[in-house]
Amino acid sequence: LVSGPQVVDIKTRSARIQWSTDRVSDTKVAYGTSSNNYQAAQAYQAAQVTSHSIELSNLQPGTTYYYRARWTDDDGNTGQSAELQFKTQPAPIVSDAAISNINLNSATLGFTTQAATRAKIYYGTSTAFGSLTTVNTSTDLSSYTTQLTDLADGTKYFYRINTVDSSGYEYDGSVASFTTIARPRISNLRFQTVEGEPSSTQKITWTTNVPASSEVVFGPVGLPQATVSEGGELRTEHEVTVRELLDDTTYSLIARS
């Protein structure tokens, strides 16, 4: 053995071992995750060379590996190095994921990554997701925000942030959820006379699914419309009274919340 071995180009799931020999020989590396306990299959190249370079692949991120370089020349002479070790790069991480600015149709997702080149955000109304947005990231510890758009109001959404390392491997994050704000929906709209008031007075009532304002726009068909609202309090049970209606007249009315 002339020089080496040494480990170069260590990544999350691969590493390259290099060394040189004084005679041409094949290239083998025995390796495993515990000392002197190697995998049954060695990394192997049959070419007879003096400069040896071989990649170990399918490794686990953030893991210490023990290895020996081995070689056999044309005459059948074999040799091996002392046992050495290296540690693969850690898998990318995501932290501080949080949803904010939740609206009817959108929400803001903030998160922090480290050792990732991209973050892939999957989201949808079930854990099958269906929508995807991608954020390019720095491998340094960095924070990002992105908008989740085209959402339906009043709907629970699930999301997951996956990270991608420099070798293109993708890592699944945890699933979380949020619910968009529900748009007010009016139901049970009714009209009734008010006891003790002239017949030109009507009480309009309705119900909404969420607390909302109370407003009625009304007027004779084909004529300018008037607006009446009841206070600024948000409620689910609404009541607006309109007065001085014309007799024997067809009115149009819109209840708004």
Side-chain angles (χ1 to χ4, degrees):
L1 179 67
V2 175
S3 65
Q6 61 179 343
V7 184
V8 297
D9 198 22
I10 300 174
K11 298 179 180 178
T12 53
R13 294 174 181 260
S14 65
R16 182 167 293 278
I17 312 296
Q18 294 180 343
W19 72 95
S20 62
T21 51
D22 54 2
R23 297 189 63 188
V24 294
S25 57
D26 62 11
T27 302
K28 298 186 286 286
V29 172
Y31 62 100
T33 55
S34 59
S35 179
N36 289 310
N37 185 18
Y38 308 130
Q39 298 180 14
Q42 302 180 93
Y44 175 68
Q45 289 178 352
Q48 298 287 302
V49 296
T50 57
S51 295
H52 304 266
S53 179
I54 192 166
E55 183 178 89
L56 308 184
S57 57
N58 297 320
L59 307 180
Q60 293 301 309
T63 302
T64 297
Y65 282 86
Y66 300 83
Y67 74 97
R68 292 181 187 271
R70 294 173 173 172
W71 56 93
T72 302
D73 65 20
D74 285 336
D75 297 328
N77 300 310
T78 63
Q80 68 175 8
S81 70
E83 182 180 73
L84 300 169
Q85 67 184 64
F86 66 91
K87 187 174 184 179
T88 52
Q89 293 293 324
I93 60 170
V94 174
S95 59
D96 302 328
I99 291 287
S100 62
N101 300 325
I102 300 174
N103 296 306
L104 297 172
N105 308 116
S106 67
T108 301
L109 172 61
F111 59 94
T112 298
T113 63
Q114 186 171 23
T117 58
R118 279 180 293 154
K120 300 174 72 174
I121 298 99
Y122 297 88
Y123 62 101
T125 55
S126 72
T127 52
F129 307 113
S131 296
L132 169 66
T133 185
T134 300
V135 177
N136 292 326
T137 62
S138 166
T139 54
D140 296 331
L141 183 67
S142 306
S143 296
Y144 305 90
T145 59
T146 188
Q147 289 292 111
L148 307 183
T149 58
D150 298 324
L151 309 181
D153 68 280
T155 302
K156 185 174 184 178
Y157 280 86
F158 298 87
Y159 69 94
R160 185 177 69 200
I161 306 171
N162 286 8
T163 50
V164 180
D165 67 20
S166 58
S167 299
Y169 290 100
E170 185 170 337
Y171 301 82
D172 288 347
S174 300
V175 177
S177 64
F178 65 95
T179 301
T180 52
I181 295 173
R183 186 186 308 277
R185 290 177 172 84
I186 291 175
S187 61
N188 200 27
L189 181 64
R190 291 196 241 178
F191 310 86
Q192 63 188 92
T193 58
V194 179
E195 186 176 352
E197 293 272 357
S199 60
S200 61
T201 299
Q202 290 281 316
K203 181 170 69 175
I204 297 95
T205 60
W206 68 92
T207 302
T208 54
N209 57 319
V210 295
S213 61
S214 308
E215 184 177 271
V216 166
V217 179
F218 70 100
V221 173
L223 295 177
Q225 307 287 289
T227 300
V228 176
S229 60
E230 292 291 337
E233 181 182 349
L234 303 183
R235 62 191 73 186
T236 57
E237 297 296 330
H238 304 266
E239 179 181 309
V240 174
T241 301
V242 296
R243 294 177 169 83
E244 299 181 358
L245 301 175
L246 301 175
D247 293 336
D248 195 25
T249 301
T250 300
Y251 279 82
S252 67
L253 179 141
I254 299 174
R256 291 203 300 217
S257 290

